[in-house]
Amino acid sequence: MVSELLAQLEELSRSRPDRVLRLTGELPGDGGAMEPFELLIFRGFSSSVSHPTAFDPDQPALPESARLMSAELLQGPLNPAAEQRVAGPMDPELLLEPARWD
């Protein structure tokens, strides 16, 4: 379940202000075609860089129909001009293990 996975990853990120998690995948778009998305998780909050999300932080940032395909762990806080990848790309579920955030 996508919302459950996101909630667990957000919880893990709260204790790691030195990490940013980038998730990529696909969302159903207009006409049923799948469209790519990118979501960042930092200090327990999800932020989409590719599509609008609800303002309510208690609402999942992705619908259940989303497909999570890849995760990258980046050095935080994020500097877009000089990103530093710590781990990945990998299956997002692998990052449920706290040791992988080191």
Side-chain angles (χ1 to χ4, degrees):
M1 190 168 203
V2 171
S3 60
E4 222 172 90
L5 178 58
L6 282 179
Q8 291 173 353
L9 292 170
E10 287 170 345
E11 182 62 34
L12 283 166
S13 78
R14 282 185 183 96
S15 64
R16 294 305 305 257
D18 61 333
R19 298 288 184 258
V20 176
L21 177 58
R22 176 187 295 149
L23 299 172
T24 57
E26 296 178 325
L27 290 170
D30 295 332
M34 297 302 279
E35 298 178 357
F37 75 84
E38 183 175 311
L39 188 79
L40 300 177
I41 300 177
F42 180 61
R43 293 187 175 191
F45 294 97
S46 294
S47 178
S48 173
V49 296
S50 61
H51 68 283
T53 57
F55 182 71
D56 185 352
D58 293 329
Q59 296 297 314
L62 295 172
E64 288 304 322
S65 55
R67 285 192 279 196
L68 297 175
M69 301 171 88
S70 182
E72 292 178 300
L73 203 54
L74 307 169
Q75 181 67 40
L78 190 61
N79 177 353
E83 285 184 7
Q84 294 179 315
R85 187 180 324 159
V86 176
M90 66 178 73
D91 184 310
E93 291 192 10
L94 293 174
L95 287 166
L96 292 174
E97 299 173 31
R100 291 197 182 259
W101 289 69
D102 291 334

